[in-house]
Amino acid sequence: MSESKARRDRVVAEYRRWATLQERLEDETATATERDEAQTLALDNPLCRREHDLLTSFRQASTAPGEAERALVERTLERLRRSHAVVALRPGTAPPALGSTSARSPRRSWVLAGGSFAAAALVAYFAWNTSEPPPSAAPTAPGSVSRGMGQLALVSGQVRVNGAVQRLPGATLHGGEHVEVVFGRACLALDRGVVACLDAQTEVVLQGAADAELSVVVERGRAVAKLDKQPAGQGFALVGERTRAHATGTSFALAKDPAKPLRVDVLEGTVRLTDPSTAIDLGAGERWEAGVGRSVVTRETAEWYRALLTGSAALNLSLARAGSEVAVLQVESEPEGARVELDGSPVGQTPLAVLVPKDPEGASHSLWLGLAEHESERRSLDFATAGVHRLFFELEPTPRAVAADASTKPATERLRERPSADEKGETPSEDPRALLSEARQLVAERRWSDAAQSYRRLKATFPKSAEARTVSVALGQLELDRLGQPAAARRSFQSYLDLGGGALSQEARYGKVRAARALGDDAAELAAIREYLRAHPNGVNAPALARRARELGAE
Amino acid sequence: MPEPAANEPPSDAQLRDLELMQACSRREPAAQREVALRLAARVRRLARLLLREPAEAEDAAQLALLEILQSASGFRRAGSLEAWADRITARTTLRLARELRARRSLFQRMTELDLVADAIPGLLAKPAPTFSIEAFLTRLSTRRREAFVLKYAVGYSFEEIATLTQAPLGTVKDRIAMARRQLRKMIEREALRAEKPGGAS
């Protein structure tokens, strides 16, 4: 064997050994000796250094735009200009306001109006008040099916029309078109003041003509509709299998769930049910189930349908005046699922996008977002311009709320109820890996306080385990970034280093810097930066920390 | 990934960025152009790293840049504008990737590079004597590639990647570990070729 081949084989063997050690370190199962061995190999072995260099060069860095980037910018700005263009309603569709035909105020404003339905939330909507006479619900001309029978007015989650994902409302809906809500919900604003909202996992097909009955055929899932008094000879129906539920002005729902009989629930007014053999009338609060017959709509069911319809009335605005301009309010958040209220009225959950009327006077509206265990956010906006009004919120977790709420959570109860090994006066029987796994699961569930408690328990119960040492860094990061406890975080990072450090030493030292900054302790921050730079002169954060050290007065 | 503590006073640069983004949210064209030019290379690079198809990556970059400009009012001073833009880019690009995957036929999905390459060793073209990390990415499966990029290009934690990619934490760790193993194999092969006569030095 030649000398060079022997050398090459040794380098590759060392690299493989280092890779194995690295995996053990990342898996937090390495011993102290193995950590030291890995560090030595990382410095000496050229392949280890090659890997390090490749990964370092890979990190995101800002660079000046080239030709391709400039072209991208121009395309984007052009698209942005187009998105601000006016969205106009198609003329000829002028349904009356949803749920109410009350007199309109002489001043244009947004008001929360209540319908005749039991809960105001159901009919919470924004009425487009105007000094001009309200538009009449004139029948649309024959053939209007081809030009559309309504619009997609609210999108929350993933909604498809004829298979195409719709991220924004406003799409014109035609007879024969297929609408599917994969998750979230959607509301359709159909001609003649019909609003139909679809639950998640619902598929419908639209049918109808402007001078006859409009209908939504529910292929699966649940749909709830609310409609104003319809012209004679016209109406609206929800259809499931061979059953048609007709209404001329009411609120009702049809559900076609797997393994359950077809159901029709009447929330308000009267609905006529027909199938090839029967015709019956159902009144408010009545339920009909295929093969079962009549029963009563439970309060929970009624509330559930109310929630599905809630906020759908916002879309009503867009139809209040034929040809009026509308805007799109698009609200997204991280995390998703936040409750959205506009001027105190629920609209839905993020992500959502809903049509709203353009308001040339630019009246200010208040948008509120709330999500459990996160700080709520409020923002003012107006709809003086048409186009898309897009808002994105990054909701911050509220550690205190999490901690206060923690006692109600089963996992937390389990954690608290379970005595520690010391309390039990016996040798710990739990596996540190099990505790570590539990803590990681809590982190994945964003239950920061519980996770920190679990990490601390691991450290207290198995202080000499490899897991206890390595979780110090994770605990410090939790305390610093999620729980707002920089002093505790500094102790956690230091405890890792005091125990000899390891693969996470760089993170621990950087954590000490950040903790000192959070505490406003400039001297400690400078000392921590110097410690970091001494130990990791080529560390990822070294350039930024060197700059920061100069800001703090270091030479 | 590490961010400055929320209670520290804003630096001048952070204040400038905040003003810039506020101007963006008021739809001031000059501010929008400045932000777009500043972030374009970064956004485009991340989109190209995350997506295999250059055309799809260009679409994703445009969507991401658009989203950054339209979400300007959501920018807060905590953290840098670049980190904020990275997060939006990653989220937008991954969302597009999911939509594209959903549209692809079963056949297309079955013939994705990762499945085929795993099943037929040696199918892929041999790498150059020395390789870049971008060349390595072309040999990764779609999901391993996403996880690897988010981990090593953007610096996200496993938990953040799990959230962004909508995958279980364990799966994310596994994807990244497998990608690292692939990378190490490529480094070994590179070293072996370098030793051979005619190989790169």
Side-chain angles (χ1 to χ4, degrees), chain A residues 83-97:
Chain A
S83 77
H84 292 160
V86 167
V87 178
L89 272 183
R90 62 201 162 81
T93 52

Side-chain angles (χ1 to χ4, degrees), chain A residues 173-232:
Chain A
L173 301 171
H174 300 83
E177 287 191 324
H178 177 267
V179 181
E180 178 186 7
V181 182
V182 181
F183 59 87
R185 69 168 176 146
C187 290
L188 321 177
L190 304 178
D191 284 355
R192 302 199 302 256
V194 176
V195 173
C197 289
L198 314 178
D199 188 23
Q201 299 291 306
T202 296
E203 290 182 67
V204 301
V205 174
L206 306 179
Q207 285 183 350
D211 55 351
E213 188 173 76
L214 301 173
S215 57
V216 170
V217 180
V218 181
E219 296 188 329
R220 68 173 177 126
R222 289 182 270 192
V224 59
K226 185 163 179 61
L227 53 145
D228 286 337
K229 188 73 179 171
Q230 297 293 296

Side-chain angles (χ1 to χ4, degrees), chain B residues 68-127:
Chain B
I68 287 165
L69 295 173
Q70 289 179 328
S71 308
S73 61
F75 176 69
R76 299 283 184 273
R77 72 165 180 83
S80 73
L81 176 57
E82 278 72 14
W84 181 78
D86 281 349
R87 197 172 300 125
I88 290 181
T89 305
R91 197 177 56 240
T92 307
T93 305
L94 292 172
R95 186 167 56 202
L96 179 67
R98 278 193 291 274
E99 289 176 8
L100 291 168
R101 274 201 288 271
R103 276 187 225 160
R104 285 192 183 113
S105 68
L106 180 63
F107 175 78
Q108 283 174 304
R109 273 181 270 157
M110 289 296 288
T111 53
E112 266 209 346
L113 183 66
D114 45 339
L115 295 172
V116 176
D118 286 351
I120 312 171
L123 175 76
L124 298 170
K126 288 183 179 175

